[in-house]
C-alpha cells in the first residue's frame, strides 16, 4: 500500500507543478482595478474634499465654543 500512496502523492504534486508553471507563463491582463484604480481613488478623494469643504465653509458653525454667557436675547419684534 505504501508504494501506491507514494505514486498517488507524486501524481498530485506533479499536477500542482504543471498548474503553477502554466499560470506563471500566462500573460497578465490588466483588470479594471489595474487600469482605473488610482484614477477612481483620486477622483473620490477630490469629491470628498470638495463636498466637505463646501459644507464646512457654508455652515456658520462655531466649533467647540460654549454659548453660555455669550448669547444675549434679541428684542421681540411685533
Amino acid at each position: 500500500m505504501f508504494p501506491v500512496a507514494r505514486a498517488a502523492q507524486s501524481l498530485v504534486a506533479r499536477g500542482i507543478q504543471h498548474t503553477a508553471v502554466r499560470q506563471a507563463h500566462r500573460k497578465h491582463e490588466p483588470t479594471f482595478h489595474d487600469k482605473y484604480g488610482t484614477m477612481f481613488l483620486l477622483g473620490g478623494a477630490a469629491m470628498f474634499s470638495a463636498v466637505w469643504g463646501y459644507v464646512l465653509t457654508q455652515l456658520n458653525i462655531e466649533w467647540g465654543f460654549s454659548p453660555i454667557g455669550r448669547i444675549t436675547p434679541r428684542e421681540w419684534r411685533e
Side-chain angles (χ1 to χ4, degrees):
M1 177 91 172
F2 184 73
V4 173
R6 189 182 323 164
Q9 183 182 8
S10 70
L11 283 175
V12 169
R14 199 173 306 146
I16 292 172
Q17 287 173 349
H18 284 295
T19 304
V21 167
R22 207 176 324 121
Q23 288 179 351
H25 285 31
R26 191 174 62 179
K27 290 183 179 177
H28 175 68
E29 298 172 3
T31 62
F32 177 84
H33 296 288
D34 292 335
K35 289 181 184 178
Y36 308 110
T38 305
M39 210 167 23
F40 271 87
L41 180 67
L42 293 176
M47 186 64 137
F48 177 86
S49 300
V51 168
W52 278 106
Y54 175 79
V55 168
L56 294 176
T57 56
Q58 298 303 314
L59 294 178
N60 292 326
I61 299 175
E62 294 186 19
W63 298 98
F65 296 116
S66 173
I68 298 175
R70 296 180 184 210
I71 298 177
T72 57
R74 295 182 182 172
E75 292 295 324
W76 180 256
R77 288 184 261 165
E78 293 189 33

